[in-house]
Amino acid sequence: MAEERINRKLAAIFAADVVGYSRLMAADEAGTLAALQRHHELVFDPAVAAHNGRIVKLIGDGTIVEFGSVVDAVNCAVSVQRSNRALRDEASGQSKIILRIGINLGDVIVEGDDIYGDGVNIAARLEPLAEPGGICVSSIVHESVGNRIDVRFEDGGDISVKNIDRPIRVWKWHPGKTDVAADRSNAVNAVPYVETPSIAVLPFTNMSGDPEQEYFSDGISEDIITDLSKIAGLMVISRNSSFTYKGRSVDIRAVGRDLGVRSVLEGSIRRVGNRVRIAAQLIDATNGVHLWADRYDRDLADIFAVQDDVTGRIVNALKVTLSPAEKARLADSGTPNIDAYDCYLRGRELLALNPKNRETFEQSTKFFMRALELDPSYSQAYAGLSVAYNFDYQNRWSDDPDNSLRLAKHNAGQAIEKNPNEPFARLVSSWAAIFEKDLDRAKSEADIALSLNPNSSGAYVNLGHIQTLSGRPLEAIPMDHS
C-alpha cells in the first residue's frame, strides 16, 4: 500500500503573543479581552490583510500567521509594533496590549487549514526571545529580507531552543531603540520637507470577503480624499496617485518619500448587510509612528457620520485650522439617502475603470439615474451623469455623441443648480465647456472648482488643457498637479 503523500511548502511564519497576558487577565479580565479585540480589529487584522498574510490559528493571546513572502511577514510585524503609540489605555496612558513577535522561514506541513513542523516551532520559540513590543527573527529571515525593509536588526547571537537540535542565530529589533543604520538611511531618503501639512489617503482594504464590495471601500477612501481636499491649509495627494498603491504591501515611509507627504491614512472596511466596520490609522510618514487610530462599528446609515469623524480627527491630529466656509463644506455629505449614495459609488467606480467602454457607460448612467430617483436633489449624481456623457462624447460609444455633449452640459448645470458650492459640479461643467470650446466659461468654472477644492487635480488638469488650447502650452506645465 502506497504511503500517503505529505503536503509540504516553504512559508514565512509569524508567531505573536501578548506580554503579561495572565497578569492582565487577573487584574481586569473584561478590559483585557476588550483591549485585545480592539487591537486585532484596529491594528493586527488589517496589517495582516494589507501584507497578504493568513491567520492560521488563534490560541488565547497567541496568534500564528502564514505569509508567502518573508518581506511581507517582517513588514507586517514592524507595522503592528509601531502602532502601539496610537492605542493607549485611558487610565495609564500606555498601550495595554503589547506583543512579542517571532518570525521564521522554513518548511511546513499543511493539513487542511492548519500548518505544522519545524518552521512553525522555531517561530514559536523565537517569540519569547523578543523584547516586549519587539521582534526576533531567525538568521534565514534576516538574510532573506536583506536591505528590502526600512529597519535594521541587531545581532542576538547563537541560541539553543527547546526541541530543536541545532543552535539558531537570531536578530532583534525594537521600535523604541535608536537604530544608527536606519537613522543614516532615513537621512538620505527623508520625506522632502513640506511646510504645509500634507497627507496621502491609501485605498482602504476591503475586508468583506466579497470582491464586489471593492466599489464601496474605494468609494469611502475617495470621499475622504475629496473632503480633505476642500481644506486650503492641507496638501492632499490625488486619487490617481494614491490609488497606485492599491493591493500592494507598502512601507508607509516609502510612500511618504515617493509622494512627498508627511502623513498617510490607511485603513480597512468590512461591510456585512446593513452593518459596516471601519478601521483607520493616521501615520507619520517620517518615522512610521501612528498619530491616531480608531475603529467604527456602525449601521450603514451612519456612514456619513463616520466619514465626518475621520476627517475631523485627521484635521485635529495635523493641527489644521478650518475657516467657517471650510467647516460648512465638510458638513455637506451630498445626500442623506444611503441607497442613493450607494448607487452613486457604484456609478463612479464604473467610470474609474480602465479601459472604459459602452457597457460601463450604460451601467454607470443607470446607477446615477437611480440615485437621482432616490434623491432628486443629489448634486454629485448629476455631476456623475455629466462625466459619463462627457466620456461618451469623447469615445463615441453611443449613436449620437453630440447629444451626449448636450446632456453633459445639461447635467452639469443641474448639479450646479442643486448645489452651487459642490466642487465636482463646477469641475464637470468646466470639462463640458472645454469640449464645447467655450474656454472662458471653462476657465471660470475651473477657477470656482479650485476655490471650493484647493487640491482638485482635475481642476488643474482642466486649466492646463485650457492654456494649451489657447495657444500657451508652456503656461500649462505648472498646472500638472495630477
Side-chain angles (χ1 to χ4, degrees):
M1 182 169 131
E3 289 187 12
E4 184 178 350
R5 181 183 176 87
I6 297 176
N7 188 11
R8 296 179 180 271
K9 67 178 181 180
L10 186 68
I13 307 301
F14 167 132
D17 201 58
V18 177
V19 177
Y21 183 70
S22 298
R23 173 180 52 79
L24 292 171
M25 287 289 284
D28 180 7
E29 184 177 89
T32 299
L33 289 174
L36 183 59
Q37 181 181 15
R38 181 169 182 254
H39 189 277
H40 264 277
E41 292 179 350
L42 188 57
V43 174
F44 196 91
D45 293 358
V48 170
H51 294 87
N52 307 306
R54 179 179 75 90
I55 296 177
V56 177
K57 63 180 73 174
L58 293 167
I59 308 171
D61 62 317
T63 310
I64 298 294
V65 187
E66 172 194 0
F67 293 85
S69 159
V70 70
V71 173
D72 281 348
V74 175
N75 277 332
C76 179
V78 170
S79 174
V80 168
Q81 298 296 46
R82 281 176 171 161
S83 72
N84 274 346
R85 293 190 189 185
L87 293 178
R88 301 290 185 183
D89 177 59
E90 293 180 1
S92 66
Q94 300 297 316
S95 173
K96 176 171 279 190
I97 299 302
I98 299 175
L99 302 181
R100 289 188 179 94
I101 297 175
I103 304 175
N104 183 48
L105 176 66
D107 192 60
V108 298
I109 299 170
V110 181
E111 288 189 6
D113 292 331
D114 212 342
I115 53 177
Y116 305 92
D118 279 358
V120 180
N121 295 338
I122 292 175
R125 301 301 182 199
L126 294 176
E127 172 267 308
L129 302 177
E131 294 182 47
I135 303 168
C136 181
V137 305
S138 60
S139 184
I140 190 172
V141 169
H142 184 257
E143 292 170 4
S144 297
V145 297
N147 61 359
R148 290 181 289 170
I149 57 175
D150 72 342
V151 300
R152 298 293 179 268
F153 283 78
E154 295 181 358
D155 190 347
D158 291 331
I159 54 100
S160 297
V161 297
K162 185 178 179 182
N163 296 332
I164 303 298
D165 59 5
R166 64 191 184 281
I168 297 173
R169 195 170 195 84
V170 300
W171 296 77
K172 299 181 180 182
W173 173 83
H174 191 281
K177 284 194 170 184
T178 301
D179 189 331
V180 176
D183 288 345
R184 187 180 302 118
S185 173
N186 290 339
V188 174
N189 299 304
V191 174
Y193 179 72
V194 181
E195 185 174 356
T196 302
S198 52
I199 187 170
V201 179
L202 300 185
F204 279 30
T205 303
N206 172 26
M207 303 282 285
S208 302
D210 179 3
E212 293 191 2
Q213 291 296 320
E214 288 289 325
Y215 81 92
F216 188 76
S217 56
D218 286 353
I220 297 300
S221 309
E222 184 169 349
D223 280 349
I224 293 173
I225 293 173
T226 299
D227 284 346
L228 293 172
S229 295
K230 297 174 183 177
I231 302 170
L234 184 62
M235 188 189 86
V236 183
I237 298 300
S238 72
R239 178 197 192 278
N240 288 346
S241 295
S242 60
F243 269 56
T244 60
Y245 296 94
K246 182 176 173 63
R248 293 166 53 187
S249 174
V250 296
D251 168 22
I252 295 301
R253 296 199 281 192
V255 173
R257 291 193 297 269
D258 292 346
L259 299 180
V261 295
R262 305 189 73 80
S263 54
V264 174
L265 182 75
E266 65 175 2
S268 62
I269 297 178
R270 176 180 283 114
R271 178 181 175 182
V272 181
N274 289 321
R275 298 291 298 180
V276 61
R277 179 174 291 170
I278 298 178
Q281 306 94 37
L282 181 65
I283 304 168
D284 187 331
T286 64
N287 54 24
V289 170
H290 283 56
L291 302 173
W292 160 79
D294 211 341
R295 64 183 172 91
Y296 306 84
D297 192 350
R298 304 279 185 86
D299 287 331
L300 187 60
D302 294 333
I303 190 65
F304 304 127
V306 172
Q307 290 179 5
D308 290 345
D309 190 67
V310 169
T311 302
R313 300 284 287 275
I314 292 169
V315 168
N316 290 336
L318 300 182
K319 297 179 173 59
V320 177
T321 302
L322 300 181
S323 69
E326 287 169 339
K327 290 179 181 178
R329 288 198 292 270
L330 289 176
D332 183 3
S333 62
T335 178
N337 189 309
I338 189 65
D339 292 326
Y341 178 66
D342 190 80
C343 288
Y344 170 71
L345 292 185
R346 290 177 182 271
R348 189 174 67 182
E349 183 73 5
L350 287 165
L351 293 182
L353 295 175
N354 282 306
K356 302 172 186 62
N357 53 40
R358 180 167 183 160
E359 182 180 0
T360 57
F361 159 67
E362 291 175 347
Q363 289 177 342
S364 67
T365 56
K366 288 178 182 177
F367 279 122
F368 291 133
M369 289 176 180
R370 177 56 182 157
L372 289 169
E373 290 176 9
L374 295 166
D375 182 357
S377 298
Y378 196 177
S379 173
Q380 293 173 356
Y382 277 113
L385 268 179
S386 179
V387 172
Y389 286 121
N390 271 322
F391 276 135
D392 181 50
Y393 175 73
Q394 279 184 290
N395 294 281
R396 301 298 201 259
W397 292 317
S398 67
D399 297 329
D400 190 355
D402 289 335
N403 185 54
S404 284
L405 181 57
R406 288 189 290 272
L407 289 171
K409 180 180 179 180
H410 170 75
N411 282 287
Q414 288 291 101
I416 293 172
E417 180 182 317
K418 300 303 180 185
N419 185 354
N421 293 318
E422 171 52 57
F424 187 30
R426 297 292 184 172
L427 175 63
V428 298
S429 179
S430 172
W431 196 12
I434 289 174
F435 288 134
E436 288 192 315
K437 298 180 174 58
D438 186 350
L439 300 186
D440 289 339
R441 183 166 67 86
K443 184 178 186 307
S444 174
E445 293 289 8
D447 286 340
I448 296 173
L450 273 179
S451 71
L452 297 169
N453 182 344
N455 289 279
S456 174
S457 61
Y460 281 112
V461 169
N462 280 10
L463 288 172
H465 286 320
I466 292 164
Q467 295 287 5
T468 301
L469 293 171
S470 299
R472 299 184 293 271
L474 293 180
E475 295 180 31
I477 295 173
M479 299 299 171
D480 185 7
H481 286 231
S482 59

